[in-house]
């Protein structure tokens, strides 16, 4: 069996390695830590790569909303065939820090960031035939938003011995704000055991309420961008005092009604004494009353006859008159 010379053997082995080895690899580098930017500012998402740029070189930036898979990404811009093509709802606010991105820098600039820009950004470099490593980089961006003015509310039985729940919530804020409650004013502060608050949900539970629990409560929502607050007034009532007041009012009203009744009765009696005695009730019979059906003239004649009967006889002497007729014997 013939043996190959040493130099020829080495050359054959190197040729075999060259034929079986992969081409140049695409390496994409992005920050490992999440990024954050204040709302309304410009965000820069660093992305660099290493590969031999050819006519097949292509770059794509895309976006994934929080909680969704990478397959649900939406495009932001493309670079291919030497041209840049913005796409999607962020197209007017998105651009490349270096255009064209052929020098190994593919950093994305996003102007006037909104709260909805929070999510994952994908930087993908493609350069066939360099397919032997992952040419994809992921960047997590959080848009920082100060807490909005929270809304305060209360529920429960606001009376002595009862319980109440005070709630506080901001509709906006990133990172999510934490909440704290304080009791304002110079009145005695309720005991710590009767106040239990949850910094995450913004709820304050007041138990075993007393009159000292009344007053103004302030809720403060805070995150690294700022704070906002709202206030709520709690008025604790004492049901026992309400019952006593109700009883007192009832007694006073009874006395008032009784006084009015006595006054009306006394006044009625006084008016009754002032009436003439000849005034009788409708059921009484009067001796001088005219019977129904008798005219006024008849009544007047009857009255005249009565007068004549009652008139005493006159003492005037009666004169004798001599008759002109002859007397018959």
């Amino acid at each position: 069996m013939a043996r190959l010379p040493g130099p020829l053997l080495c050359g054959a082995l190197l040729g075999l390695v060259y034929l079986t080895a992969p081409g140049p690899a695409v390496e994409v580098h992005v920050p490992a830590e999440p990024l954050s930017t204040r709302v309304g500012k410009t965000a820069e998402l660093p992305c660099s790569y290493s590969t031999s740029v050819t006519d097949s070189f292509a770059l794509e930036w895309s976006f994934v909303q929080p909680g969704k898979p990478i397959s649900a990404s939406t495009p932001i811009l493309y670079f291919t065939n030497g041209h840049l093509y913005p796409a999607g709802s962020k197209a007017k606010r998105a651009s490349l820090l270096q255009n064209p991105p052929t020098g190994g820098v593919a950093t994305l600039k996003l102007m006037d960031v909104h709260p909805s820009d929070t999510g994952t950004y994908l930087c993908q470099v493609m350069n066939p035939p360099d397919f032997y490593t992952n040419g994809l980089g992921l960047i997590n961006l959080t848009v920082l938003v100060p807490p909005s003015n929270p809304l305060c509310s209360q529920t429960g039985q606001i009376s002595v011995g009862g319980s109440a729940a005070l709630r506080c919530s901001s509709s906006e804020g990133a990172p999510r704000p934490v909440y704290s409650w304080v009791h304002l004013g110079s009145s005695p502060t309720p005991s710590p055991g009767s106040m239990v608050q949850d910094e995450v949900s913004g709820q304050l539970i007041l138990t075993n309420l007393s009159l000292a629990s009344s007053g103004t409560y302030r809720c403060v929502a805070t995150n690294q961008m700022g704070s906002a607050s709202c206030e709520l007034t709690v008025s604790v009532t004492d049901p026992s005092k309400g019952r006593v007041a109700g009883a007192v009012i009832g007694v006073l009203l009874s006395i008032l009604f009784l006084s009015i009744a006595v006054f009306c009765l006394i006044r009625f009696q006084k008016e009754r004494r002032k009436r003439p005695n000849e005034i009788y009730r409708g059921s009484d019979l009067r001796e001088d009353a005219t019977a129904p059906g008798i005219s006024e003239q008849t009544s007047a004649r009857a009255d005249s006859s009565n007068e004549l009967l009652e008139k005493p006889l006159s003492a005037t002497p009666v004169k004798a008159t001599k008759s002109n007729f002859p007397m018959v014997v």
Side-chain angles (χ1 to χ4, degrees):
M1 180 177 179
R3 298 179 61 184
L4 292 175
L8 294 177
L9 181 60
C10 292
L13 293 174
L14 290 174
L16 181 62
V17 172
Y18 177 78
L19 292 175
T20 58
V26 176
E27 295 288 344
V28 174
H29 306 281
V30 295
E33 299 295 329
L35 303 179
S36 60
T37 304
R38 186 184 179 94
V39 63
K41 300 296 182 179
T42 298
E44 289 191 4
L45 308 181
C47 179
S48 60
Y49 64 90
S50 58
T51 185
S52 58
V53 177
T54 64
D55 293 339
S56 301
F57 172 82
L59 169 67
E60 178 184 355
W61 274 98
S62 56
F63 171 73
V64 180
Q65 293 180 348
K68 292 188 177 181
I70 294 178
S71 59
S73 63
T74 57
I76 299 175
L77 56 80
Y78 299 96
F79 180 86
T80 183
N81 296 326
H83 297 283
L84 183 64
Y85 301 97
S89 60
K90 304 181 189 333
K92 294 182 179 181
R93 298 185 291 120
S95 62
L96 292 174
L97 183 63
Q98 181 176 320
N99 188 22
T102 54
V105 178
T107 299
L108 177 70
K109 290 179 62 178
L110 189 62
M111 298 180 296
D112 188 24
V113 292
H114 304 159
S116 59
D117 292 331
T118 295
T120 303
Y121 291 79
L122 286 67
C123 176
Q124 186 172 12
V125 176
M126 296 162 286
N127 189 26
D130 298 351
F131 295 115
Y132 300 101
T133 57
N134 184 15
L136 179 65
L138 305 180
I139 302 176
N140 292 319
L141 175 67
T142 299
V143 178
L144 304 178
V145 181
S148 60
N149 291 329
L151 178 64
C152 290
S153 61
Q154 67 177 5
T155 57
Q157 184 180 1
I158 315 297
S159 60
V160 172
S163 300
L166 310 185
R167 292 180 174 84
C168 174
S169 178
S170 294
S171 59
E172 296 181 357
R176 187 174 182 177
V178 294
Y179 303 93
S180 61
W181 285 90
V182 292
H183 187 206
L184 305 179
S186 57
S187 60
T189 302
S191 60
S194 63
M195 298 176 60
V196 179
Q197 60 178 318
D198 188 340
E199 294 183 349
V200 177
S201 65
Q203 181 173 261
L204 174 66
I205 302 297
L206 300 176
T207 58
N208 193 21
L209 291 173
S210 64
L211 296 179
S213 303
S214 299
T216 301
Y217 291 78
R218 175 181 294 168
C219 172
V220 181
T222 307
N223 66 6
Q224 66 188 74
M225 297 304 297
S227 63
S229 64
C230 63
E231 294 182 358
L232 188 66
T233 300
V234 175
S235 299
V236 181
T237 59
D238 190 347
S240 61
K241 292 184 177 180
R243 288 192 293 269
V244 172
V248 171
I249 293 175
V251 171
L252 293 177
L253 290 176
S254 300
I255 294 174
L256 177 62
F257 292 149
L258 183 60
S259 301
I260 294 175
V262 171
F263 173 78
C264 293
L265 181 61
I266 294 174
R267 185 177 182 86
F268 174 75
Q269 293 293 338
K270 289 182 178 180
E271 291 181 356
R272 187 175 182 180
R273 292 192 187 99
K274 293 180 181 180
R275 293 178 181 178
N277 295 330
E278 64 270 12
I279 297 178
Y280 300 92
R281 292 174 298 176
S283 59
D284 295 340
L285 295 177
R286 293 177 53 185
E287 295 179 356
D288 57 348
T290 303
I294 300 178
S295 63
E296 294 182 357
Q297 295 178 357
T298 305
S299 177
R301 287 195 296 270
D303 291 341
S304 300
S305 300
N306 292 335
E307 290 179 358
L308 292 175
L309 291 175
E310 293 177 358
K311 187 175 181 180
L313 295 176
S314 176
T316 306
V318 177
K319 295 180 179 182
T321 305
K322 185 179 179 180
S323 176
N324 294 324
F325 296 96
M327 180 179 297
V328 178
V329 178

